[in-house]
Amino acid sequence: MSTGFLDVNDELSNARIEFRSQPRPIPADARVVYKLAQIAVVLNAFNKNSATIENLHLFTWSLQSKRAGQMLMSWWSGNRHASTITQKSDPHLTVALNVGLIRGMVNITGANHNRVTLQPLGVHLAQQIELDEELMGAEKMYMRQFGRLSDAAVLRKLARNS
């Protein structure tokens, strides 16, 4: 007499198990090293290598896709109202900032801990990226369109359009 239990065990013991590697690539903007380099490029565009976290979020968000970049440029140039901006944020920025803080690349200051400043190691990274024309070329070219930035200039430029 056969029980269902034994039949299942026989099937399992004869089953062929095969593992196949199926890579699941991590998008570049989710990689901490890339995000740290991106932070260095963005903060390097600001006076004193320092910006509010909100502005850092805004500019790193704008580097995520061509559409996001075009949207910020449209707000910046006054072709579109910035009232739709509400608060653009980069979901991967927080992890990278924590790593950058631990590694001594950035410092977070301000009464509300809302200002990020490149430290000497971060400034060095930004300089190295700047020296290599091909390294992060698209990001550097995009950021140059805004000229030298400051938190006040960003506020004035985007508030003017709202």
Side-chain angles (χ1 to χ4, degrees):
M1 178 165 154
S2 171
T3 64
F5 180 71
L6 291 176
D7 293 338
V8 171
N9 278 342
D10 287 341
E11 252 182 70
L12 288 177
S13 66
N14 293 325
R16 182 176 172 180
I17 299 173
E18 186 177 319
F19 293 97
R20 281 180 271 144
S21 175
Q22 296 193 349
R24 302 212 188 257
I26 298 172
D29 66 338
R31 296 178 185 167
V32 173
V33 173
Y34 172 77
K35 191 56 66 179
L36 286 171
Q38 201 179 54
I39 291 167
V41 168
V42 170
L43 289 178
N44 190 47
F46 276 81
N47 289 338
K48 299 181 182 177
N49 296 315
S50 183
T52 63
I53 287 179
E54 292 80 14
N55 284 336
L56 186 57
H57 268 287
L58 176 65
F59 281 92
T60 58
W61 165 82
S62 73
L63 290 169
Q64 287 181 356
S65 69
K66 190 172 185 172
R67 183 177 180 275
Q70 289 171 340
M71 191 178 296
L72 180 57
M73 282 305 298
S74 183
W75 293 331
W76 193 262
S77 65
N79 294 332
R80 192 168 170 193
H81 293 292
S83 60
T84 57
I85 198 167
T86 55
Q87 182 163 347
K88 297 298 181 185
S89 64
D90 179 344
H92 306 291
L93 184 62
T94 305
V95 172
L97 281 175
N98 284 330
V99 172
L101 189 61
I102 290 167
R103 297 288 183 193
M105 294 178 64
V106 297
N107 193 18
I108 299 176
T109 60
N112 298 322
H113 302 288
N114 65 342
R115 174 162 294 289
V116 181
T117 305
L118 284 179
Q119 295 302 291
L121 188 59
V123 171
H124 180 70
L125 175 62
Q127 290 169 343
Q128 294 301 307
I129 292 169
E130 197 59 43
L131 289 173
D132 188 331
E133 290 180 27
E134 294 179 18
L135 184 61
M136 299 188 79
E139 291 89 341
K140 292 185 296 191
M141 189 172 11
Y142 173 77
M143 290 304 297
R144 286 183 188 126
Q145 295 177 78
F146 297 98
R148 196 70 186 155
L149 293 168
S150 70
D151 292 321
V154 172
L155 182 63
R156 276 192 311 272
K157 196 75 164 168
L158 295 182
R160 167 180 71 82
N161 298 324
S162 57

